[in-house]
Amino acid sequence: MTETTEATGRDSLGGATSPLLGPIRLGIGLLQGLGLYGMHRISDGDATWGATHPLLFGPLLLVTAFLPIMLLAGVGRLRPLTLAIWTAVAGAALALLGLHDIARQSADTLQGPPFLSPSVVIFSAAALFIAHHLVAAADLEHRRIPAFSALFDIASKAVVQLALSIGFTGAFWILLTLGSALFKVIGLNFLEDLLRKEWFAIPITFVVFATAVHLTDVRDGLIRGVRTVGLMLLSWLLLVMTVLAAGFVAALPFTGLDGLWETGSATSLVLAAAAALIILINTAYQDGRPDNRPPAVLRVAVRVAAVLITPLVVIAIWGLALRIGQYGLTPDRIIAGACALVGAAFAAGYGWAALSPFWRKGDWMRPLEPTTIWAAVLAVAVILLLFSPALDPARLSVMDQVARLERGAVAPDKFDYRFLRFESGKAGQAALERLTQSGKADIAAGALAAQRVKDRFEDPAPVEPEHSLAIEIWPAGAAPLPAGIVASATYYDLGHCPQSDPCLATRKDLNGDGTLELLILGPEGVSVFIPDGGGWSLLGFFGQRCRGDVRSDPRDALRAGRLRAVQPVWPDLVFADGRQVARFFSDDMPDCDSTPVVNAQQAQPPVTVFGRRAP
């Protein structure tokens, strides 16, 4: 143990030996399980409190999901006052992050419970993990800025504990499932039924997880042994990653970067490689004590890997700058830029640590330690800024994209209006509404079209304005078309009426009730509208049923005076308690271009109804 940890009365990993620690942790796990079960119950359904109060539900869920896990890691390791203050600060930060994430979303982008976007969940967990271990290490040493050795000790133990606790919980459920299957074989289903009950499954899961955290904390030797083995294995993987990264960087002058840019994900790939190097460097360096240094070959690999971080981060920033210059800002690119900023901090400090022995004497890679601590602080600060109004990626992206559109950097017909509608929350919808009032007709038309779309990936046919349809009144001089009729007619495929071949509109009493219906005749059928409360509503559509591909044009029948309503020879059949009607169609269908025939039953003049034999 170090002198600092001996003075605190806690072991070198910050553990505690109080007999109350176990019950406290089990109580935290139980309360978290009950809380999450309650959150699940109040979010189940469209009309529940959770579904109707997203601004309360989202932050509460984020706090319930993450804050108890932080308490499990902090109780017994932080002084009570420090733990109380840190719990209040962390809870408030989580609640504010969740509140902003939901408040910035629009009605179109806000999904059902849990309402939170995946990015805020992931980055909130990362920020909480980093910040908690900075606080825990500082509290252990009674310092504002902790020593790197203490930070590494506590953080590495937490990673091992988390992995073992998750594995323990998974094994517990595997055994329960196996047990339920055994009981089911002999006809007892009580255990299987119990496992399906959410009131049991959710709380017991977190109680078991808390139990695992406590057991692994008590068995300090187990954690040390597992950590030692894990760090040893990962440190040797540094050799593999260093060779791969060095080969990649060395090949770039010969292959060029075009292939990398064509992937569309160059920045994320290169930043992931840099992050892997940073993690593996720390597994080899560990706490930096002289008696804990890795073998010579690994020390060389650490130096080379530390230098390689810089070209990788430079390539990532270069690729990101090119994409932003071509296509502007998006939330993903802003988040990638934030990651690149943190990566640049690591690259500068680790590069300095690797090269410093050439002009100064000192401990091996010692500048790595303050770099890691301050880069961790920077990462927490960047996350808090990104997911707050200060640097909201959606708001910044909307500002940049709209500015590019207005200054002509992107053509109006190439602009992604749907990004504003579906992917940028309230900021995007407000910008889209402003664009509908733009003085440029093509921009306003694109914004209006995006507002009509119901889904991000919907690709409907463009809606033609009414004045683009050619519809003539028949006979000439009759009453004009009622307002708003044309949009309904185009839905029934009567909009193919160019100026050279217009549709016809006429009024006839089809059912003999003394009221004129409005008929709009297109090339293949007729839409029928009826008066409805001062307006007109679509009654239905008359099509054609005959043999052949060439159909008669009902407009020709109207112009020739041969369009008329007739009664069918065969009546309709009503069945299924009057809810269904069957209409008679004869197998003796005429050709579509058949000539008019005589209605023998009524001895009327020859009649053809849209090319169909009249009864």
Side-chain angles (χ1 to χ4, degrees):
M1 290 190 297
T2 63
E3 293 181 1
T4 302
T5 55
E6 288 176 349
T8 63
R10 290 173 282 187
D11 63 34
S12 62
L13 292 176
T17 59
S18 170
L20 296 177
L21 188 57
I24 290 174
R25 283 179 171 152
L26 292 181
I28 292 172
L30 178 60
L31 290 176
Q32 182 183 22
L34 292 174
L36 290 175
Y37 169 69
M39 300 292 290
H40 171 73
R41 286 296 305 272
I42 64 177
S43 67
D44 188 13
D46 295 333
T48 61
W49 179 88
T52 55
H53 295 78
L55 286 174
L56 294 176
F57 183 86
L60 184 59
L61 178 61
L62 200 62
V63 172
T64 307
F66 291 146
L67 194 62
I69 297 177
M70 187 215 76
L71 284 172
L72 289 175
V75 65
R77 299 170 186 166
L78 297 178
R79 289 173 294 175
L81 180 59
T82 304
L83 180 62
I85 296 174
W86 171 230
T87 300
V89 172
L94 289 171
L96 290 175
L97 289 174
L99 182 64
H100 170 69
D101 183 59
I102 294 174
R104 70 175 183 80
Q105 298 183 55
S106 65
D108 288 329
T109 58
L110 186 66
Q111 304 296 321
F115 304 111
L116 299 167
S117 60
S119 58
V120 77
V121 175
I122 294 172
F123 281 96
S124 294
L128 184 63
F129 180 88
I130 297 170
H132 172 75
H133 292 97
L134 286 170
V135 171
D139 180 68
L140 181 66
E141 297 189 317
H142 301 280
R143 298 170 54 180
R144 292 184 179 181
I145 304 299
F148 176 80
S149 58
L151 177 62
F152 180 84
D153 243 10
I154 293 176
S156 59
K157 177 191 175 183
V159 172
V160 174
Q161 273 192 297
L162 181 63
L164 291 176
S165 299
I166 293 174
F168 180 83
T169 306
F172 172 81
W173 271 103
I174 291 174
L175 293 178
L176 278 186
T177 304
L178 177 61
S180 68
L182 290 175
F183 279 107
K184 187 176 181 180
V185 168
I186 60 176
L188 299 177
N189 297 327
F190 72 95
L191 185 55
E192 182 181 31
D193 295 338
L194 182 63
L195 297 184
R196 293 178 177 176
K197 303 295 184 182
E198 293 165 345
W199 59 263
F200 172 80
I202 297 176
I204 195 64
T205 298
F206 288 92
V207 169
V208 171
F209 179 81
T211 302
V213 170
H214 182 67
L215 291 176
T216 53
D217 195 50
V218 172
R219 299 298 300 271
D220 182 64
L222 171 66
I223 296 297
R224 285 184 173 276
V226 173
R227 184 180 64 172
T228 300
V229 173
L231 291 175
M232 184 269 294
L233 293 175
L234 289 174
S235 65
W236 284 101
L237 287 178
L238 176 63
L239 285 175
V240 178
M241 190 63 203
T242 301
V243 170
L244 294 175
F248 170 76
V249 173
L252 287 179
F254 304 98
T255 63
L257 294 172
D258 292 342
L260 187 62
W261 304 148
E262 290 173 359
T263 63
S265 56
T267 298
S268 58
L269 285 173
V270 178
L271 284 177
L277 285 177
I278 292 169
I279 294 172
L280 293 174
I281 287 171
N282 280 276
T283 63
Y285 185 80
Q286 297 188 24
D287 57 9
R289 292 182 303 172
D291 60 345
N292 200 28
R293 288 180 181 176
V297 64
L298 285 183
R299 292 201 297 272
V300 173
V302 166
R303 288 190 184 278
V304 176
V307 174
L308 287 173
I309 296 173
T310 296
L312 292 177
V313 172
V314 169
I315 292 171
I317 294 174
W318 185 9
L320 184 63
L322 289 176
R323 300 293 288 182
I324 292 174
Q326 291 173 333
Y327 305 109
L329 291 176
T330 64
D332 289 343
R333 290 174 194 144
I334 292 176
I335 293 175
C339 294
L341 174 63
V342 176
F346 275 106
Y350 281 33
W352 175 268
L355 300 176
S356 58
F358 288 107
W359 58 80
R360 55 170 290 186
K361 294 182 179 180
D363 293 333
W364 175 67
M365 294 290 292
R366 182 64 63 185
L368 177 151
E369 298 182 3
T371 297
T372 302
I373 293 174
W374 288 109
V377 174
L378 175 63
V380 174
V382 167
I383 291 173
L384 293 176
L385 290 173
L386 276 180
F387 297 98
S388 71
L391 293 179
D392 181 13
R395 179 177 59 83
L396 296 179
S397 299
V398 168
M399 293 172 58
D400 179 69
Q401 294 291 345
V402 172
R404 284 168 50 83
L405 175 64
E406 292 178 339
R407 70 172 180 264
V410 57
D413 60 334
K414 301 296 184 182
F415 185 74
D416 189 4
Y417 298 95
R418 297 189 187 188
F419 165 75
L420 302 180
R421 172 73 187 278
F422 296 105
E423 298 180 17
S424 52
K426 292 179 180 178
Q429 295 228 337
L432 190 65
E433 181 63 29
R434 290 195 302 271
L435 291 179
T436 62
Q437 309 299 322
S438 173
K440 298 180 179 180
D442 47 1
I443 293 179
L448 288 169
Q451 287 185 331
R452 288 194 293 264
V453 175
K454 302 301 182 183
D455 182 78
R456 176 68 171 93
F457 302 101
E458 180 184 346
D459 190 20
V463 178
E464 296 287 343
E466 292 195 9
H467 60 77
S468 67
L469 299 176
I471 299 180
E472 294 182 357
I473 305 300
W474 187 272
L481 280 176
I485 284 292
V486 174
S488 298
T490 57
Y491 178 81
Y492 280 84
D493 206 23
L494 294 181
H496 305 294
C497 304
Q499 295 292 333
S500 59
D501 190 21
C503 293
L504 296 181
T506 190
R507 299 175 193 252
K508 286 183 177 293
D509 182 8
L510 297 182
N511 57 359
D513 65 350
T515 301
L516 293 177
E517 286 79 35
L518 174 65
L519 282 65
I520 298 182
L521 292 77
E524 296 186 0
V526 179
S527 290
V528 180
F529 298 83
I530 59 174
D532 182 17
W536 292 81
S537 63
L538 182 65
L539 176 65
F541 180 75
F542 284 98
Q544 303 183 55
R545 188 171 187 269
C546 54
R547 291 193 301 263
D549 297 329
V550 181
R551 298 174 182 267
S552 298
D553 192 326
R555 296 172 296 181
D556 296 337
L558 178 63
R559 293 188 183 99
R562 292 188 283 105
L563 181 71
R564 56 183 300 171
V566 296
Q567 295 295 327
V569 173
W570 299 100
D572 296 336
L573 293 181
V574 179
F575 55 95
D577 298 329
R579 291 190 296 272
Q580 294 187 12
V581 177
R583 195 147 287 142
F584 181 78
F585 291 98
S586 171
D587 287 338
D588 183 19
M589 293 184 297
D591 292 335
C592 291
D593 56 351
S594 62
T595 57
V597 298
V598 175
N599 185 330
Q601 182 184 25
Q602 300 181 3
Q604 292 181 340
V607 174
T608 298
V609 183
F610 314 155
R612 174 182 171 189
R613 181 176 302 178

